[in-house]
Amino acid sequence: MEFHFGDFHSEVGSINPAALPPNKRRLLTIKRMLKNLLIVAYIVGFCTVYMLLFGQENILLGATIATCILTMRKAVLGIKAPQAVASILLCYLLIAFGPLLGGLNLFLALPINFGCMYLITLLTGQHVLQKAEYNFLAAYVFAESSPVTGNAFWIRLLALMIGGVLVAAVYYIFHRKEPGQHTLRQIFQHTHLTSTRNQFAIRLAGGLTLTMLIGDIFHLQYAAWMGMPVLSLSMPFVQDTQKRAIYRMIGTLVGGVVFLVLFGYVIPEFLQLWCLVALLYIYLFLKDYRAQQMVIAIFSLNSASVFYGTGVAIEMRILLLLIGVAIVFLMNLVDYLNLMNRLDIWLYRRKRRKMAANGPSAKPKTPIKK
C-alpha cells in the first residue's frame, strides 16, 4: 500500500535547508532522521499488535489506521470537532458493512460501494488538497478486496471500530478548538452537482467502484492493485493527473526491475524482511513521486510473489496498473465533457418546464455554472 501522512512533515518541509547555517542544517537532518525512525517503529509496532489481536487478514487495515492516526494530527476535515468524530466513526462503519453488503450480489455491490465511498469522500474531503480521505478509502479498498463473513466479520468490525475510536480521539485532541468549521448540515446544503468537491467525489468513488466490479467479475486476488492507482492518481483538478500517471508507470517499471534483481538474486531470504523495513524508512525521506512508486512496487511485488512467483507478479502489477490508469482517465471525462454542468442545466430546464405546466408562482433556482 501507499503511505499518506498529509502534512505530517510540514514543520520540516517548510524550511529550506540551504537557507540555514551548517550546524542548524545538521541538526535539522538529525531531527528528521530520528522522527522518521520513530514513525517506522510506530507503524511496524502498530501493525504487529493489530495483526496479533485481529488476525493477518486485517493487517492492511491496521496499516491504514496507523497512517490515518498520523494524518489526523495535521489534516482538517472542515467539520466541527464533535460532528467530525461522529463522521470518522461512521466512515469506519461504512468500511465494515459496505463490502459485506456488496458481497451479497454483484449488481447490488455497484450502488453500495459507490454510495459508501462517495459519502466517505464527502465527509473527509472538504479540503480537497489535503487528501484526508485517502486512508479511509484505502481501508475500504482493502476491506472489499479481502471480504470476510461469519465470526471473521465481527472480528473485523471490532478491529475497525477500535481503530476508528483511536483516529477520532486523535482528531478531537488536535482540532477541538479549530475555528471556522462547518456543520454537517451546512456541508450537505452547499454540495451541488457542479462543485469541485462533488465532482471529485463522483470521479473518485466511480473509478474505485469500477475497479471493484472488474475484480469481482474476474475474481482477482489483488484487485486492490487497480484501486490504489485510481486513489493516488485521481486529483481534484484533472490537469494534474497526466504527469502523475506517467511517473507512476515509470516508478512501477523501475521498481519491478529492482525487485527482480535484488530480491531474486542478491538479498538472501532471511534478510528480505529487514530490507523491507529499511525501504519503509527510506520511503519517508522521498519527495519524488517516481521514487515513491518504485518503493511501493517493491512492497507490492514482494507480497504477491509468495502466491504467483516473481515473473507473474510483475506482469500482474503492470497490467493492473495500466487498467487503473485507464479508469482514471475514463472518469476524468466527467470533467472534460462537463457532464455535471450539462446534467445540472438539464435538470434546471426540466424543472422550469414542469413549473410552467403547473403555473408556478416562483422561478426555479438558476443552476450554478462552473
Side-chain angles (χ1 to χ4, degrees), residues 49-59 152 155-156 158-160 162-163:
V49 172
Y50 204 85
M51 181 183 66
L52 292 175
L53 290 175
F54 305 114
Q56 189 170 0
E57 65 273 15
N58 294 313
I59 189 171
I155 293 174
R156 173 168 290 182
L158 177 63
L160 286 170
I162 290 176

Side-chain angles (χ1 to χ4, degrees), residues 92-108:
Y92 281 104
L93 281 173
L94 293 175
I95 292 167
F97 284 97
L100 177 70
L101 297 175
L104 298 176
N105 182 276
L106 183 62
F107 296 101
L108 186 64

Side-chain angles (χ1 to χ4, degrees), residues 111-165:
I112 289 177
N113 288 333
F114 177 84
C116 288
M117 290 186 288
Y118 173 81
L119 186 57
I120 290 172
T121 307
L122 208 60
L123 291 174
T124 60
Q126 289 303 299
H127 296 283
V128 291
L129 297 180
Q130 290 188 4
K131 292 186 77 85
E133 75 283 349
Y134 185 97
N135 291 303
F136 296 97
L137 291 175
Y140 194 99
V141 169
F142 290 133
E144 198 279 338
S145 64
S146 58
V148 292
T149 56
N151 291 334
F153 168 76
W154 297 111
I155 293 174
R156 173 168 290 182
L157 177 62
L158 177 63
L160 286 170
M161 295 318 298
I162 290 176
V165 169

Side-chain angles (χ1 to χ4, degrees), residues 119-351:
L119 186 57
I120 290 172
T121 307
L122 208 60
L123 291 174
T124 60
Q126 289 303 299
H127 296 283
V128 291
L129 297 180
Q130 290 188 4
K131 292 186 77 85
E133 75 283 349
Y134 185 97
N135 291 303
F136 296 97
L137 291 175
Y140 194 99
V141 169
F142 290 133
E144 198 279 338
S145 64
S146 58
V148 292
T149 56
N151 291 334
F153 168 76
W154 297 111
I155 293 174
R156 173 168 290 182
L157 177 62
L158 177 63
L160 286 170
M161 295 318 298
I162 290 176
V165 169
L166 293 175
V167 172
V170 170
Y171 184 86
Y172 186 81
I173 290 170
F174 283 96
H175 301 287
R176 64 187 184 278
K177 297 181 180 179
E178 194 78 35
Q181 303 303 293
H182 302 289
T183 64
L184 288 173
R185 183 176 181 180
Q186 289 173 324
I187 287 174
F188 286 111
Q189 284 178 340
H190 297 158
T191 299
H192 52 83
L193 279 174
T194 57
S195 68
T196 300
R197 284 193 298 266
N198 187 62
Q199 292 200 47
F200 175 60
I202 290 173
R203 287 190 285 110
L204 184 53
L208 290 173
T209 301
L210 186 54
T211 65
M212 293 172 184
L213 177 63
I214 295 173
D216 290 339
I217 291 175
F218 294 101
H219 305 287
L220 298 176
Q221 184 173 356
Y222 285 90
W225 283 2
M226 283 186 294
M228 297 313 291
V230 173
L231 186 54
S232 176
L233 297 176
S234 296
M235 305 294 288
F237 306 102
V238 296
Q239 60 269 25
D240 298 330
T241 298
Q242 185 173 357
K243 183 183 290 188
R244 288 174 68 89
I246 295 172
Y247 285 174
R248 189 176 185 105
M249 286 187 282
I250 293 173
T252 298
L253 291 172
V254 174
V257 173
V258 172
F259 173 79
L260 183 63
V261 174
L262 293 183
F263 287 77
Y265 301 102
V266 178
I267 302 173
E269 188 174 350
F270 70 94
L271 289 177
Q272 290 182 3
L273 177 61
W274 295 105
C275 290
L276 291 173
V277 174
L279 277 175
L280 174 59
Y281 182 67
I282 294 171
Y283 176 89
L284 297 175
F285 291 93
L286 300 177
K287 294 183 178 180
D288 185 85
Y289 188 69
R290 289 164 292 189
Q292 291 175 345
Q293 296 310 308
M294 182 188 74
V295 175
I296 290 165
I298 293 173
F299 273 101
S300 301
L301 292 171
N302 179 73
S303 61
S305 62
V306 175
F307 298 97
Y308 297 111
T310 302
V312 176
I314 293 175
E315 293 174 2
M316 283 186 59
R317 174 73 181 180
I318 294 173
L319 175 62
L320 295 180
L321 168 65
L322 293 174
I323 295 174
V325 171
I327 289 173
V328 172
F329 283 101
L330 176 65
M331 298 310 299
N332 283 350
L333 290 176
V334 172
D335 190 88
Y336 284 128
L337 300 179
N338 290 322
L339 295 184
M340 292 298 104
N341 285 341
R342 296 184 184 202
L343 178 60
D344 194 34
I345 292 172
W346 179 80
L347 291 173
Y348 168 74
R349 290 174 176 172
R350 184 170 178 266
K351 187 175 181 180

